[in-house]
């Protein structure tokens, strides 16, 4: 319904720089994931867009118009707060109905739409409860329903599903995405769930210490992280340090590793990242494939994680993490000598 | 000794110079406690036996206080100035009960009304002036049920202590509605209203009127109307089980001493003394000598006496009802 | 950091107007204390005469001192007891709670005159007698409902989980109150204490009945002075009291925040 | 409150006893104090109100309901009672009308030290003597008083107001006396409202007015109710302010009760009237109880 | 330090049964994961153990002693609240120090231990901030530090890490586990993160609508869920309905599926669950293995999820979910005809 442009925005709390010259375009109708470590400024950014705080420098436009002077209530933005901020004096129904009520929606229409929204978040029947009579996850869902029910032109969701169990969360994700598609609300959401970010978003922005470190389509960021931080933050990554050498890297022990793209100038220090699930664990006497990269290592820990096994293997003085899907084959045990194998295309050169 | 006196504040006994003089004369110190209504005075006596020595009681209440045993008979034989008291005051049936003196007549006065001389060319002579349309919205009135009813009783020609025709009184009081500016409750308030021009005339007490005139220089003149006025007599009594009876008697004696009274009346302003010798020592043209003297002789005064509780209650109800009627 | 300067400014202006309204009589009172005229007649004839008179009036000054003592003691006792009761009402659900809450009405609903008379009779009968101690007894009783009602209102917004958290960390009930509950209700407590102080400091009727001759409080002196003449001396001492409390409180405010956090 | 509510049901007997002990420790002192200094004396008064005469100083009163009967027999008592209730309601309402916005500004606009300073400025007038304040008002309100002179200076030819000794004068004086109650009780409630809630409402598109009526007012209701109680109740029994500012319009149930005590020695009737007053207060609160309870949650 | 026994505990809110005859033993020094859908009673159970509420029936023992009469503050339990419940008037330092302070710990000791705890949760340097000056994740970490710093004998954590990003969360998990081991605190924690529950816990309990539906070691529950609910709630599962037949199940279309354990009485309706990661997707013409179970299906959706691909395949009118680790091989596209293969041992019979 409306694009959002953030241009060179900075925000100070006292002398602490919570946002530092951030510029992002949120395309009209897009579904935008915002990631970043705790305290990196995600909430702060959302608050600026919603109009609760004002940037110390920079500009924000919504639907192509600068909103510096537009008060929050005129921006037509649905925001879901990390702390929920439910109205304690109102029932669940009234909380959700609030955005419609202030828009003078007809009573029958309100009842219908609130009913729909509560069904969507699976809270039908709790209409009359007060927030303090709800469980944590129920509160979060009320907050979500409240933010979307009136179809704002921009939806800001601050960790909307963090208190929900997996099953419910997946259900909500699907619904969220469906609604967002149907109505075309520009949505910006903060999440700490990698999978959620990757599956839901059209684009992802990664914040760190108030700066935008990378921005792009999920697969792009996942497959081609620009920095070691992005690589380890979104998904897991094993980092190998070495010196550039032709189309590969020479590691400390002198072994060569081939990379997807040629790493910068010769002999320069470079870091390359390999995702643990791209690595295959084979017995130490497995076949050596001349094309692939390969390390001989020892399993130091084998951790059961439901649908997968996580192996920590020691190689030199580094621990390499490998994720192997659980297909029921006998797992390797700690102490086993193994060989780790992966393709050069999975070896991405990143900035340290 | 230190004697404890219970009185209205600023009513003679607590004049600094007098207390000093008394102390110099007898060596007794004087401490005061005050009340704001007669009922309060009685309550204080009831709840503080053995605390007070001297208490001022309006003679209308003296019989009640005596009956309740709040005060003691006084042996007046040792008091020098008692002899000079006007006999009818000294032996007032309210003060002397069953031959025992329960209160020593101290001062007496008149309740009527006073005028702001700036608003009158000649002083009025009738109580009807209070009802005159000329003074619409400019009349002051004390918010006191008994006094209100008694003034109306005089205006309707009835006995003040036991009026027979309450309906007439009711009518008379209702007719005041357009007249009244506001009610006053204290002398000070009265002075303020007078000085700020809220009142052209207002019910008042003779002693206070002379204080307003002498002490505060207000353009005030007290009127004793031809229809009559309310007279009252204040006596000094000794509380039951008073700790310093002798000193108390000396203090009472000092209070009726002409030396005290003349200074009080001329410097401050006072009601009329019950002591004829004291009155005699006032200046020729003194209000308390001239007007009061004449009033006393004229027989126009009706003295306040004890009022039966049921009558009092009736008066109060009548007054409250009237006040309710006054409201817009 | 609000951008909406308009409304905020309007709000401040409004606040200023209300304060002006509150201070009209105070200003009049103060100005009149410098007016030589006994009856407050205008125009003003500037003079310090009433302050001079006051400096020689040990009775009024003593009474002022007594008032402060009684008010401070009353405030301390009433706000402590009242806050404790309010916390109990907040924390526990028990039989008779509503009755106890209803019982707060009589002390404020029955005119003080009657309560005062009743106290006088009862204290006399019970041997408590009169005096400053009796005044404190009476004032605390009158201030208690104010404290309880005001503190309770504040507690309505308190999140019980905070108390739960403190308890789980091992805090004794007293520690919970001291470190968690009390800091939250502090603004309410301070307001309640200020009420209690005002109730006591301005209490005439009860004090009047319970004063012993020679030991009275400022309001009693003022009320009894009315009959004699309501001199601007009283304005003078009231002005001094106001100026004194302003300085005192502003001094306190410099070092202690009680508007709460946030 | 849920914590407490559920505590009742399941706690073992011992936990219950511990709780009862704590309740006693917390409420005991306050109520013991009230019992000795208010309830017992007032009970004596209640007893007197059922007698024909106060049984002090050797008098004996007979048991009677006459004093209560009087209220119902005499129409003017009832009309005064209604007048007093109306006064109480009006004063509470005006205090709310003027005080609430003030509290709002104090709690949500003014920040930092200024807030403390303002907070104090609100309370300080309270510490001056009530009578002195009322007398000051008479100087302001009376004909050709300060107010009229001021208005005439600002608006030439404004003329007279003649507010003195009218019902509005009483209301002005009382509102002035009780305004700080409302400001402070509202302030302490408003100040406890999380700014997040206001922001949430704004993001949902609520106008200032909606935020006020749907969020701020309901959430500060405990404070408003507390303030209203602390104003309404004393005002209906007030006698000093109406007397001085109301002149002949200043008769209320409070002044009538005062008269019974000071002018005539009829404590029983005075006491009976005050218990009827108390009864009215309780009936009113009982009638509003469901609303107040819902509002004040 | 102390075991916790919950015996036949029920809890009502009005007429709503939040807990229904729950019995669990939390062994001394164990690390216990509590899972369940939103509103299933997890928080309620923790509150009863902590002593903020009292059960309507049943008993709770801590360290072998009934605690019915023991007030919360005497139970020596550290609880971390879902809503954090940080003391708004205290700084971060004071919040964390609270539990030590009330135990009259020496000042120097407090400083040391709070410092350690803040370091543990990576908040060093924020000591003087007030809670309202923190980000959501920072608040959560303060709450965590506050609950553990004084080494209670039992630790109750209500979604302790939900607001943290993956990297931080894993770090915290490791620390949490380390501390718990070192000091041996009996820990009960609620989480919605499957992996967290599976990797951290010694034992797991699954709640549903106030009832305990299954309890056991993580691997046991994961590999042998007793009910369809447990199977789908903890991890994903494809459910197949059919009739018992010998050591297998006959599905609706008549095909046979072999199960790990023999399914009940012959011809009885049964449900069996297969985990998506146990299923292999092979091209439709892949080799048919007589021993394994096998279905021919069509890929209806292929979803990129970082380290894995999720395939939704239609078989009959049912959608089968398959998770395939991303090893860089070309994924199947939507519409592709594929064969789904898995071992009989991975086919678990569950109650519906
Ligand atoms: N005070 C209350 N009054 C009525 N119902 C309540 C109250 N508190 C909790 N409930 C209900 O009890 C059930 C259990 O709540 P609980 O908080 O234990 O859930 P939970 O398992 O912690 O859920 P979540 O994962 O969403 O936090 C919920 O359905 C909730 O709505
Ligand atoms: N009022 C404030 N005063 C000072 N610092 C603040 C304030 N509000 C936030 N901060 C700081 O600004 C930084 C960014 O905070 P923000 O809430 O945007 O983080 P976030 O990315 O949302 O983190 P999380 O994932 O933990 O919620 C944090 O380091 C926080 O401590
Ligand atoms: Mg955040
Ligand atoms: Mg919960």
């Amino acid at each position: 319904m409306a694009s959002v442009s953030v241009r060179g925005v900075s925000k100070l709390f006292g002398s602490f720089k919570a946002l530092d010259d951030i510029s992002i375009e949120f395309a009209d109708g897009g579904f935008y994931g915002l990631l970043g470590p705790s305290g990196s400024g995600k909430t702060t950014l959302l608050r600026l867009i919603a109009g609760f705080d004002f940037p110390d420098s920079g500009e924000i436009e919504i639907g192509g118009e600068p909103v510096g002077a537009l008060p929050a209530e005129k921006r037509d933005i649905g925001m879901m707060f990390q702390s929920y901020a439910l109205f304690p004096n109102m029932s669940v129904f009234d909380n959700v109905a609030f955005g419609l009520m202030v828009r003078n929606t007809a009573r029958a229409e309100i009842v219908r739409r609130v009913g729909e929204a509560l069904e969507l978040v699976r809270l039908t029947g709790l209409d009359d409860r007060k927030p303090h009579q709800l469980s944590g996850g129920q509160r979060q869902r009320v907050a979500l329903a409240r933010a979307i029910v009136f179809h704002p032109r921009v939806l800001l969701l601050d960790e909307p599903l963090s208190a929900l169990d997996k099953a419910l969360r997946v259900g909500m994700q699907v619904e969220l995405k469906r609604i967002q598609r149907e109505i075309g609300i520009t949505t910006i959401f903060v999440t700490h769930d990698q999978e959620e970010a990757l599956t839901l978003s059209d684009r992802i922005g990664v914040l760190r210490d108030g700066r935008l470190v990378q921005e792009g389509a999920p697969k792009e960021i996942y497959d081609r992280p620009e920095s070691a931080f992005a690589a380890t933050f979104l998904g897991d990554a094993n980092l190998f340090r070495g010196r550039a050498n032709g189309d590969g890297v020479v590691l400390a022990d002198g072994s060569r590793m081939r990379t997807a793209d040629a790493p910068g100038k010769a002999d320069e220090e470079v870091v390359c990242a390999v995702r643990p699930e791209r690595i295959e664990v084979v017995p130490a006497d497995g076949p050596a494939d001349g094309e692939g990269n390969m390390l001989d290592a020892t399993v130091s820990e084998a951790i059961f994680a439901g649908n997968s096994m996580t192996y920590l293997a020691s190689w030199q003085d580094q621990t390499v993490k490998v994720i192997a899907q659980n297909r029921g084959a006998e797992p390797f045990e700690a102490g086993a000598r193994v060989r780790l194998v992966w393709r050069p295309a999975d070896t991405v050169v990143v900035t340290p | 000794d230190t004697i404890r006196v219970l009185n209205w504040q600023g009513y003679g006994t607590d004049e600094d110079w007098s207390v000093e003089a008394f102390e110099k004369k007898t060596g007794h110190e004087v401490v005061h406690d005050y009340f704001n209504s007669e009922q309060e005075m009685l309550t204080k006596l009831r709840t503080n036996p053995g605390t007070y020595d001297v208490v001022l009681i309006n003679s209308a209440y003296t019989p009640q206080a005596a009956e309740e045993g709040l005060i003691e008979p006084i042996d007046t034989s040792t008091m020098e100035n008692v002899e000079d008291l006007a006999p009818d005051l000294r032996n007032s049936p309210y003060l002397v009960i069953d031959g025992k003196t329960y209160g020593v007549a101290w001062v007496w006065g008149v309740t009527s009304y006073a005028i702001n001389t700036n608003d009158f060319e000649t002083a009025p002579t009738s109580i009807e002036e209070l009802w005159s349309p000329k003074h619409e919205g400019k009349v002051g009135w004390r918010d006191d049920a008994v006094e209100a009813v008694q003034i109306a009783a005089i205006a309707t020609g009835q006995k003040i202590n036991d009026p027979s025709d309450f309906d007439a009184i009711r009518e008379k009081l209702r007719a005041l509605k357009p007249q009244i500016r506001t009610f006053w409750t204290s002398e000070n308030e009265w002075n303020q209203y007078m000085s700020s021009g809220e009142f052209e005339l207002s019910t008042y007490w003779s002693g206070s009127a002379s204080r307003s005139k002498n002490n505060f220089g207000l353009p005030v003149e007290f009127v004793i109307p031809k229809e009559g006025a309310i007279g009252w007599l204040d006596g000094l009594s000794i509380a039951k089980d008073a700790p310093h009876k002798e000193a108390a008697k000396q203090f009472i004696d000092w209070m009726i001493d002409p030396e005290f009274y003349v200074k009080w009346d001329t410097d401050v302003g006072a009601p009329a003394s019950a002591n004829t010798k004291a009155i005699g020592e006032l200046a020729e043209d003194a209000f308390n000598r001239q007007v009061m003297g004449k009033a006393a002789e004229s027989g126009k005064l009706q003295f306040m006496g004890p009022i039966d509780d049921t009558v009092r209650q009736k008066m109060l109800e009548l007054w409250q009802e009237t006040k309710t009627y006054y409201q817009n | 950091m609000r951008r909406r300067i308009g409304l905020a400014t309007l709000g401040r202006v409004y606040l200023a107007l209300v304060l002006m309204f509150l201070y009209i009589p105070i200003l009049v009172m103060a100005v009149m204390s410098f007016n030589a005229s006994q009856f407050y007649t205008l125009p003003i004839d500037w003079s310090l005469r009433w302050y001079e008179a006051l400096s020689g009036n040990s009775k009024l000054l003593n009474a002022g001192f007594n008032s402060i003592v009684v008010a401070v003691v009353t405030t301390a006792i009433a706000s402590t007891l009242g806050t404790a009761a309010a916390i109990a009402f907040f924390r526990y659900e028990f039989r008779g709670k509503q009755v106890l809450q209803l019982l707060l009405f009589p002390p404020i609903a029955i005119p003080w005159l009657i309560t005062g008379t009743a106290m006088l009779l009862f204290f006399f009968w019970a041997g408590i007698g009169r005096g400053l101690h009796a005044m404190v007894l009476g004032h605390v009783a009158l201030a208690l409902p104010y404290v309880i009602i005001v503190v309770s209102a504040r507690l309505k917004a308190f999140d019980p989980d905070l108390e739960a958290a403190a308890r789980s960390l091992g805090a004794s009930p007293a520690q919970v109150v001291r470190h968690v509950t009390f800091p939250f209700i502090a603004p309410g407590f301070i307001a309640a204490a200020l009420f209690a102080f005002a109730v006591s400091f301005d209490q005439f009727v009860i004090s009047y009945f319970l004063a012993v001759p020679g030991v009275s409080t400022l309001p009693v002196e003022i009320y009894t002075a009315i009959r004699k003449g309501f001199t601007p001396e009283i304005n003078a001492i009231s002005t001094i009291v106001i100026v004194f409390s302003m300085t005192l409180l502003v001094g306190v405010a410099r070092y202690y925040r009680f508007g709460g956090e946030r | 409150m849920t914590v407490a509510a559920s505590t009742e049901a399941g706690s073992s007997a011992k936990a219950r006893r511990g709780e009862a002990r704590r309740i006693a420790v917390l409420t005991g002192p306050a109520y013991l104090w009230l019992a000795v200094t208010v309830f017992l004396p007032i009970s004596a008064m209640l007893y007197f109100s059922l007698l024909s005469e106060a049984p002090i100083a050797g008098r004996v009163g007979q048991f009677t309901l006459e004093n209560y009967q009087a209220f119902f027999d005499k129409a003017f008592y009832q009309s005064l009672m209604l007048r007093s209730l109306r006064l109480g309601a009006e004063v509470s309402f005006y205090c709310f009308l003027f005080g609430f916005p003030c509290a709002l500004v104090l709690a949500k606009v003014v920040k930092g030290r200024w807030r403390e300073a303002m907070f104090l400025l609100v309370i300080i007038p309270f510490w001056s003597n009530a009578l002195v304040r009322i007398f000051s008002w008479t100087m302001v309100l009376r004909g050709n008083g300060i107010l009229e002179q001021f208005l005439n200076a600002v608006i030439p030819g404004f003329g007279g107001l003649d507010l003195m000794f009218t019902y509005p004068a009483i209301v002005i004086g009382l509102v002035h006396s009780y305004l700080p109650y409302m400001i402070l009780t509202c302030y302490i409630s408003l100040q406890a409202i999380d700014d997040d809630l206001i922001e949430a409402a704004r993001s949902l598109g609520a106008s200032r007015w909606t935020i006020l009526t749907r969020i701020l007012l309901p959430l500060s209701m405990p404070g408003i109710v507390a303030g209203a109680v602390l104003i309404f109740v004393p005002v209906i029994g007030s006698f000093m302010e109406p007397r001085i500012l109301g002149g002949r319009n200043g008769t209320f149930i409070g002044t009538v009760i005062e008269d019974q005590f000071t002018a005539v020695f009829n404590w029983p009737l005075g006491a009976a009237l005050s218990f009827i007053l108390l009864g009215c207060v309780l009936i009113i609160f009982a009638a509003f109880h469901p609303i107040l309870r819902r509002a004040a949650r």
Side-chain angles (χ1 to χ4, degrees), chain A residues 90-101:
Chain A
M90 298 185 198
S91 67
V92 167
F93 182 94
D94 290 340
N95 261 286
V96 178
F98 193 88
L100 296 168
M101 183 209 69

Side-chain angles (χ1 to χ4, degrees), chain A residues 148-165:
Chain A
I148 58 179
V149 73
F150 64 98
H151 298 171
R153 48 181 192 157
V154 178
L155 194 54
L156 307 176
L157 306 174
D158 204 346
E159 303 195 22
L161 309 171
S162 64
L164 305 183
D165 53 278

Side-chain angles (χ1 to χ4, degrees), chain A residues 61-346:
Chain A
E61 287 183 6
I62 298 176
E65 311 209 337
V67 289
L70 204 62
E73 61 271 26
K74 300 254 171 69
R75 295 193 181 185
D76 197 22
I77 285 181
M79 167 132 179
M80 180 186 162
F81 289 69
Q82 197 169 7
S83 61
Y84 315 153
L86 298 181
F87 305 130
N89 56 315
M90 298 185 198
S91 67
V92 167
F93 182 94
D94 290 340
N95 261 286
V96 178
F98 193 88
L100 296 168
M101 183 209 69
V102 300
R103 284 171 174 76
N104 296 319
T105 313
R107 180 75 196 162
E109 174 78 357
I110 291 186
V111 171
R112 190 180 62 73
R113 279 175 61 181
V114 172
E116 274 175 26
L118 288 179
E119 202 181 315
L120 183 95
V121 297
R122 321 266 158 88
L123 285 179
T124 310
L126 298 190
D127 310 42
D128 291 333
R129 291 257 188 102
K130 289 280 175 75
H132 71 94
Q133 297 174 313
L134 298 177
S135 79
Q138 289 166 341
R139 282 179 213 176
Q140 193 171 45
R141 285 178 279 160
V142 174
L144 179 61
R146 186 178 71 176
I148 58 179
V149 73
F150 64 98
H151 298 171
R153 48 181 192 157
V154 178
L155 194 54
L156 307 176
L157 306 174
D158 204 346
E159 303 195 22
L161 309 171
S162 64
L164 305 183
D165 53 278
K166 172 104 180 167
L168 196 53
R169 185 186 313 202
V170 171
M172 297 285 98
Q173 286 169 359
V174 172
E175 296 286 357
L176 209 53
K177 189 87 192 196
R178 182 179 61 73
I179 292 198
Q180 190 264 338
R181 285 249 171 77
E182 273 172 20
I183 321 175
I185 309 178
T186 310
T187 304
I188 306 173
F189 79 113
V190 172
T191 183
H192 286 311
D193 184 327
Q194 312 257 337
E195 201 182 315
E196 189 169 293
L198 293 168
T199 52
L200 283 184
S201 330
D202 302 331
R203 290 184 80 76
I204 286 179
V206 181
L207 290 184
R208 184 193 193 183
D209 292 341
R211 292 166 177 279
L212 184 69
V213 294
Q214 193 171 356
E215 202 251 326
K219 205 164 154 36
E220 187 184 324
I221 297 194
Y222 191 83
D223 286 347
R224 292 275 169 271
E226 284 169 9
S227 60
F229 169 77
T232 48
F233 186 76
L234 192 69
D236 244 326
N238 296 295
L239 299 179
F240 299 95
R241 262 155 226 290
R243 298 186 172 277
N245 178 312
D247 63 345
V249 173
V250 177
L251 300 186
D253 70 338
S255 63
R256 246 182 81 85
M257 199 178 271
R258 288 171 54 202
T259 55
D261 306 307
K265 279 191 296 199
D267 233 30
E268 209 181 34
E269 276 242 38
V270 294
V271 174
C272 43
V274 184
R275 301 244 174 243
E277 73 275 12
R278 297 294 165 95
I279 302 176
E280 200 174 349
V281 187
V282 296
D285 48 3
D289 170 359
E291 285 294 294
N293 291 320
M294 195 178 79
L295 292 175
D296 287 318
T298 315
V299 173
S300 57
E301 220 172 317
I303 305 161
F304 173 75
N307 63 18
S308 62
M309 289 298 297
T310 302
Y311 295 105
L312 300 183
S314 1
W315 166 78
Q316 311 255 8
D317 47 1
Q318 189 175 347
T319 302
V320 181
K321 185 174 183 182
V322 181
I323 293 174
Q325 187 160 8
N326 268 338
R327 282 256 163 69
E330 270 313 299
F332 295 93
E333 305 223 322
R337 303 248 346 130
V338 292
R339 177 162 287 176
L340 310 178
V341 191
W342 68 96
R343 302 184 314 163
D346 294 331

Side-chain angles (χ1 to χ4, degrees), chain C residues 1-256:
Chain C
M1 272 310 221
R2 290 275 148 82
R3 277 276 165 97
R4 247 95 11 61
I5 294 157
L7 205 71
T9 312
L10 211 67
R12 290 201 184 90
V13 170
Y14 178 80
L15 185 63
L17 284 176
V18 169
L19 282 174
M20 257 168 65
F21 170 70
L22 288 177
Y23 278 87
I24 289 174
I26 308 297
L27 278 178
V28 171
M29 177 191 85
V31 168
M32 288 303 167
S33 71
F34 295 103
N35 187 355
S37 155
Q38 159 120 40
F39 299 116
Y40 308 105
T41 43
L42 297 173
I44 290 168
D45 175 10
W46 298 99
S47 136
L48 283 176
R49 126 172 210 221
W50 303 112
Y51 288 89
E52 276 158 29
L54 181 65
S55 65
N57 191 339
S58 62
K59 209 167 167 190
L60 215 48
L61 294 176
N62 273 339
F65 179 73
N66 286 341
S67 284
I68 292 176
V69 170
V70 169
V72 166
V73 176
T74 299
T75 305
I77 298 176
S79 30
T80 313
L81 300 190
T83 303
I87 289 176
F89 288 153
F90 165 73
R91 250 193 227 162
Y92 306 106
E93 211 57 57
F94 52 95
R95 229 177 304 133
K97 179 167 147 181
Q98 292 210 341
V99 177
L100 286 189
Q101 284 169 330
L102 271 184
L103 280 179
L104 293 176
F105 284 123
I108 41 176
I110 296 181
W112 285 344
L113 179 75
I114 292 163
T115 322
T117 314
M119 276 183 190
L120 177 61
L121 280 179
F122 183 80
F123 288 4
F124 165 60
W125 175 83
I128 298 171
R130 304 189 298 166
L132 293 184
H133 65 290
M135 282 190 215
V136 168
L137 276 174
H139 289 191
V140 168
L142 295 188
L144 271 174
Y146 290 86
V147 175
I148 296 178
I149 290 175
V150 170
V151 173
S152 292
R154 174 75 181 185
L155 273 170
K156 292 262 164 57
F158 183 65
D159 179 2
D161 267 0
L162 292 179
E163 282 198 343
R167 293 175 63 201
S168 80
L169 294 170
S172 67
Q175 285 172 319
V176 171
V177 168
R178 176 157 156 236
H179 297 292
V180 179
T181 320
F182 186 77
F184 179 84
I185 55 177
F189 178 85
I190 301 247
L194 293 174
F195 276 134
F197 190 92
V199 164
S200 167
F201 195 65
D202 196 19
Q203 175 54 251
F204 153 62
V205 192
I206 303 274
S207 311
Y208 181 71
F209 282 107
L210 299 180
V212 278
V215 187
S216 67
T217 62
L218 201 51
V220 175
E221 285 302 320
I222 292 174
Y223 276 79
T224 42
I226 290 173
R227 273 195 71 87
K228 182 182 182 183
F230 185 79
T231 67
E233 231 171 294
I234 298 206
N235 289 28
I237 194 164
S238 303
T239 308
I240 290 173
V241 166
I242 287 281
V243 170
F244 178 73
S245 39
M246 269 196 186
T247 354
L248 186 75
L249 287 183
V250 169
V252 169
R254 277 189 66 86
Y255 298 103
Y256 182 59

